[in-house]
């Protein structure tokens, strides 16, 4: 696959993961609201709410948007020391940090993939009151998120080494996540 094809794949993965996380967030709000309404109105809350929220919705909402934050350049960074470096040294340091981060995400991907397969092999489930809820599918969200980050960070390193910059890889302005303006310069 070419670098351009990989960049398109990252863009598609970004959108897919954001859609899934958004669906998870809306579903979680509706599920919890329904649970509260049923509890208050007919004194019969949904028995599986806690298990589904913690094992599916929260994982989707917390981990799947990781790629979106990096792709849009929205991760928190502190650059007090690196801003004072010459441009070439700063570029080299940032590239090395990206490579190390990509390696860490690669290890997280491998480990979480192994754990997801182990959970699948035993058909992992949890019991909530009297209901058996299979949780093994949710374990595949982590390697999906970590794998997408590994791909993006690796592509950034390759672009920095071959083209000198990864600026063309970032999401277009205003894509998906809206940053709040503070009015401060």
């Amino acid at each position: 696959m070419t670098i351009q094809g990989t960049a398109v794949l990252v863009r598609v993965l970004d959108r897919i993961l954001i859609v899934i996380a958004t669906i998870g967030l809306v579903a979680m709000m509706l599920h919890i609201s329904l649970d509260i309404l049923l509890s208050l109105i007919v004194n019969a809350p949904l028995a599986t709410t806690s298990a589904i929220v913690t094992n599916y919705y929260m994982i989707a909402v917390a981990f799947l948007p990781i790629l979106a934050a990096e792709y849009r350049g929205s991760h928190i960074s502190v650059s007090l020391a690196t801003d004072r470096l010459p441009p070439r040294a700063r570029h080299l340091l940032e590239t090395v940090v990206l490579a190390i981060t990509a390696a860490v995400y690669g290890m997280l991907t491998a480990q979480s993939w192994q754990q997801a397969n182990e959970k699948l092999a035993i058909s992992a489930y949890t019991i909530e009151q009297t209901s058996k809820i299979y949780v093994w599918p949710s374990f595949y969200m982590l390697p999906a998120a970590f794998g997408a980050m590994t791909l993006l960070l690796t592509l950034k390193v390759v672009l920095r080494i071959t083209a000198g910059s990864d600026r063309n890889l970032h999401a277009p302005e205003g894509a998906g996540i809206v940053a709040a303006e503070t009015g401060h310069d």
Side-chain angles (χ1 to χ4, degrees):
M1 181 177 279
T2 66
I3 290 178
Q4 184 126 6
T6 307
V8 170
L9 177 62
V10 167
R11 189 176 313 115
V12 169
L13 284 172
D14 168 62
R15 290 181 180 150
I16 290 170
L17 294 176
I18 282 292
V19 166
I20 294 170
T22 302
I23 291 169
L25 181 62
V26 171
M28 179 171 56
M29 291 184 326
L30 293 173
H31 193 151
I32 292 170
S33 297
L34 181 62
D35 182 51
I36 291 169
L37 281 173
L38 290 174
S39 178
L40 294 174
I41 295 171
V42 293
N43 198 24
L46 299 173
T48 60
T49 299
S50 177
I52 292 173
V53 166
T54 57
N55 289 292
Y56 284 96
Y57 302 144
M58 291 302 290
I59 293 170
V61 170
F63 288 100
L64 296 182
I66 290 173
L67 177 70
E70 180 64 29
Y71 186 57
R72 288 165 176 77
S74 299
H75 273 141
I76 296 171
S77 65
V78 178
S79 57
L80 294 173
T82 58
D83 283 347
R84 300 186 197 289
L85 292 174
R88 193 168 171 90
R90 182 173 55 237
H91 178 79
L92 177 64
L93 179 62
E94 289 171 351
T95 303
V96 168
V97 169
L98 281 171
I100 292 169
T101 306
V104 169
Y105 270 106
M107 290 185 280
L108 287 169
T109 302
Q111 178 60 37
S112 59
W113 180 260
Q114 179 183 351
Q115 185 177 21
N117 286 332
E118 290 170 3
K119 298 300 180 181
L120 171 62
I122 62 170
S123 293
Y125 63 89
T126 187
I127 304 284
E128 185 77 17
Q129 295 181 12
T130 60
S131 301
K132 182 178 184 179
I133 301 164
Y134 288 97
V135 295
W136 65 264
S138 67
F139 282 85
Y140 284 96
M141 285 190 249
L142 292 176
F146 296 151
M149 272 296 286
T150 303
L151 180 66
L152 173 61
L153 294 172
T154 302
L155 184 58
K156 280 185 168 191
V157 170
V158 169
L159 286 172
R160 283 172 160 266
I161 291 170
T162 60
S165 175
D166 63 0
R167 291 180 193 196
N168 294 335
L169 186 60
H170 294 288
E173 287 295 317
I177 297 176
V178 178
E181 289 189 32
T182 61
H184 302 289
D185 291 342

